[in-house]
Amino acid sequence: MADTVTLRTRKFMRNALLARKQMVVDILHAGKPNISKDDLRTKLAELYKADKDAVSVFGLRTHFGGGKTTGFALIYDNVESLNKFEPAYRRIRYGLATKVEKPSRQQRKQRKNKQKELRGTAKVKGAKKKADK
């Protein structure tokens, strides 16, 4: 066990309403650094005879001193149910969705406030400010 990675699952539950199996995963990796989530998804997929794209792993925490990591895993019945129930940020991590590019929060607020200044004026490339005397 010196240079191997062992997976143990506990608190296994079949969730029929969300079409998935959910469990706590304990990873024993004595003498090795943390295992990547991608490798973990592959190992769980072959262990439970599922498609790698239907496996979601998150919440990994390494115990003090190393050697043991605990996290949470969801194995969906198919990729369609994963796309239906998983949050968008996790689907983006797995490459199953694309991130929506939008301006930064500060730019959106500045644009909103600029529109408040221009309200009620003729909008021809922005109204000119009134000069105070």
Side-chain angles (χ1 to χ4, degrees):
M1 192 169 153
D3 285 332
T4 60
V5 174
T6 308
L7 288 181
R8 289 200 184 126
T9 58
R10 58 188 170 90
K11 295 188 178 180
F12 183 89
M13 179 184 159
R14 173 82 181 103
N15 191 333
L17 289 175
L18 297 177
R20 71 186 184 196
K21 301 172 194 120
Q22 51 197 50
M23 67 206 78
V24 174
V25 180
D26 292 327
I27 307 129
L28 302 173
H29 50 89
K32 288 185 119 187
N34 289 345
I35 185 170
S36 71
K37 286 183 187 177
D38 196 47
D39 294 343
L40 195 55
R41 287 174 64 210
T42 307
K43 283 182 183 273
L44 282 169
E46 77 181 39
L47 192 66
Y48 285 93
K49 297 175 182 67
D51 184 21
K52 179 188 169 194
D53 288 336
V55 178
S56 175
V57 177
F58 57 94
L60 296 177
R61 289 276 180 221
T62 305
H63 293 223
F64 181 74
K68 184 177 180 185
T69 302
T70 303
F72 204 72
L74 306 173
I75 301 173
Y76 286 89
D77 294 345
N78 49 39
V79 179
E80 290 78 36
S81 56
L82 179 133
N83 283 327
K84 184 177 179 183
F85 297 118
E86 274 295 283
Y89 74 93
R90 273 196 229 138
R91 283 184 282 145
I92 291 167
R93 279 182 193 169
Y94 303 139
L96 300 173
T98 56
K99 186 174 181 181
V100 178
E101 292 298 326
K102 56 187 176 185
S104 71
R105 185 176 168 90
Q106 186 175 7
Q107 285 175 334
R108 287 181 294 185
K109 288 180 176 218
Q110 287 171 348
R111 185 181 307 136
K112 174 200 57 130
N113 290 331
K114 194 58 142 174
Q115 290 302 324
K116 289 193 324 195
E117 278 180 27
L118 298 176
R119 180 170 168 81
T121 60
K123 291 187 177 88
V124 184
K125 290 194 177 180
K128 291 167 177 68
K129 281 207 159 207
K130 297 175 187 172
D132 291 349
K133 290 187 178 180

